[in-house]
């Protein structure tokens, strides 16, 4: 599990390489990427992009993040993942 400042793109990539467990994402998103969660939107960076879908392989993913199923989820599915997510904006539970 990664939270707060420990949830970096590098830590996510390392975790994806080490473990084949399902992935639950709760963050910000756009059609082509999951973004890091930061206090200011302009400080967000890409945490998971379509180029990294090869890391997902056959992994099941649930992304509670806006728009990520639109393009990113489709690309992940083409690499063998099962992607559950959203094609539009969502709000916090």
């Amino acid at each position: 599990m990664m939270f707060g400042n420990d949830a970096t793109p590098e830590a996510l990539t390392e975790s994806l390489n080490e473990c084949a467990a399902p992935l639950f994402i709760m963050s910000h998103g756009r059609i082509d990427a999951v973004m890091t969660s930061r206090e200011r939107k302009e400080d967000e960076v890409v945490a998971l992009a379509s180029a990294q879908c090869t890391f997902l392989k056959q992994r099941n993913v649930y992304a509670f993040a806006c728009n990520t199923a639109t393009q990113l989820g489709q690309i992940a599915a083409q690499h063998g993942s099962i992607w559950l997510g959203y094609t539009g904006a969502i709000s916090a539970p």
Side-chain angles (χ1 to χ4, degrees):
M1 277 190 223
M2 291 176 273
F3 298 98
N5 291 333
D6 293 334
T8 64
E10 297 79 18
L12 177 60
T13 299
E14 183 178 325
S15 179
L16 290 173
N17 282 325
E18 291 176 359
C19 176
L23 178 60
F24 172 75
I25 298 168
M26 192 166 199
S27 193
H28 297 281
R30 59 185 203 207
I31 64 168
D32 62 341
V34 173
M35 306 302 290
T36 61
S37 183
R38 297 288 185 248
E39 288 182 33
R40 298 180 327 156
K41 188 140 183 90
E42 59 269 16
D43 292 338
E44 291 178 353
V45 297
V46 172
L48 178 66
S50 56
Q52 295 166 295
C53 285
T54 55
F55 291 122
L56 299 176
K57 299 182 178 112
Q58 301 281 317
R59 188 183 314 265
N60 295 333
V61 179
Y62 174 61
F64 191 90
C66 296
N67 301 306
T68 55
T70 305
Q71 184 181 70
L72 178 61
Q74 291 181 26
I75 293 169
Q78 291 170 0
H79 285 88
S81 292
I82 295 174
W83 187 282
L84 301 171
Y86 300 88
T87 57
I90 57 173
S91 57

